[in-house]
Structure formats: structure tokens, C-alpha cells
């Protein structure tokens, strides 16, 4: 059987006990409660109901150029990046974007290049976030 230690309605520890009847007093004394299968550390218990922890998704602020290119390749967008850079009308901005694309040691989410890609490729902020998340896992 599985028993949980709860602090502020959140499971902080889980133990497996083969014969809980042998140490039932210790379990009760320490406030351990039986936990259903499928629940664990980080999940919640409000005294009557169990709930799974909410997954927090962190959007990376930067990825490596390799990661960015692989994510774009997997999304079918890699070939469109150069065309998007070429379509920038302001020469200074175009050159800066090209330098960022070719020579950066990291692709930053806040780069002007990313904003240009959002516009040129017709992507949403959410789609860019998804690309950064995908890239960070490659």
C-alpha cells in the first residue's frame, strides 16, 4: 500500500508499506494517509479529493542555433526563414537579422529577428513559444 505525507494540501513524500497493519499506530501518529495509485509527490489532497499537479510549461528565453534550426525543420519552416529575412525592407534591420541568423551563439526569444519571423511567416506568439519549447527539447 502507498501512504502519503501531506503539507499544505500537497503530497510531499510517498512511502510503500507491505504490512500497514503492523505499523498502523506509527502511520496515524505521523499523519500519513493512504494514497490512490496514480498519485504522487506534487499532487494535491484537500481532505476529501485528490487532484493531479498542474504541469507548468516553461518557455525558454533562448535556444541554440542548432535547436532552432531542427525545430524549424521539423515544423516545415526552415526553408522559409531566409525568405523572411530577405523580405525585410529596412537594409539595416535585414543585415542585423542575417547576422543574428548566421552568427548568434544563442537564438533569443526577444530578438528582433523573431519578431520579423512572426510577421513574415504569419506565426502567432503562441506558435513561436511552441517552437522554442520544441527546440529546447532537441
Amino acid at each position: 500500500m502507498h501512504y502519503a505525507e501531506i503539507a499544505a494540501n500537497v503530497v510531499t513524500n510517498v512511502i510503500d508499506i507491505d504490512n500497514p497493519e503492523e505499523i498502523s499506530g506509527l502511520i496515524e501518529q505521523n499523519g500519513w494517509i493512504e494514497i490512490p495509485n496514480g498519485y504522487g509527490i506534487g499532487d494535491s489532497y484537500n481532505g476529501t479529493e485528490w487532484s493531479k499537479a498542474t504541469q507548468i510549461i516553461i518557455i525558454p528565453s533562448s535556444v541554440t542555433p542548432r535547436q532552432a534550426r531542427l525545430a524549424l525543420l521539423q515544423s516545415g519552416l526552415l526553408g522559409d526563414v531566409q525568405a523572411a529575412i530577405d523580405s525585410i525592407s529596412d537594409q539595416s534591420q535585414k543585415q542585423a537579422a542575417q547576422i543574428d541568423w548566421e552568427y548568434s551563439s544563442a537564438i533569443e526569444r526577444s530578438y528582433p529577428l523573431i519578431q520579423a519571423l512572426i510577421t513574415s511567416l504569419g506565426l502567432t506568439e503562441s506558435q513561436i513559444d511552441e517552437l522554442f519549447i520544441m527546440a529546447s527539447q532537441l
Side-chain angles (χ1 to χ4, degrees), residues 73-117:
L73 177 66
Q74 288 181 12
S75 300
L77 297 170
L78 182 60
D80 298 333
V81 172
Q82 190 59 54
I85 292 171
D86 292 342
S87 73
I88 298 172
S89 59
D90 181 280
Q91 286 302 311
S92 177
Q93 289 177 355
K94 181 189 293 188
Q95 288 175 328
Q98 190 68 48
I99 290 168
D100 281 345
W101 181 242
E102 290 181 17
Y103 301 107
S104 291
S105 59
I107 303 296
E108 302 285 335
R109 176 68 176 80
S110 60
Y111 274 2
L113 169 62
I114 302 304
Q115 294 307 311
L117 291 176

Side-chain angles (χ1 to χ4, degrees), residues 32-67:
W32 291 76
I33 61 170
E34 188 172 348
I35 184 172
N37 288 333
Y39 291 95
I41 295 173
D43 293 333
S44 300
Y45 181 66
N46 66 9
T48 57
E49 294 180 341
W50 292 93
S51 60
K52 296 297 285 176
T54 302
Q55 183 179 8
I56 298 172
I57 299 173
I58 298 173
I59 301 165
S61 60
S62 68
V63 295
T64 67
R66 175 193 158 276
Q67 290 172 312

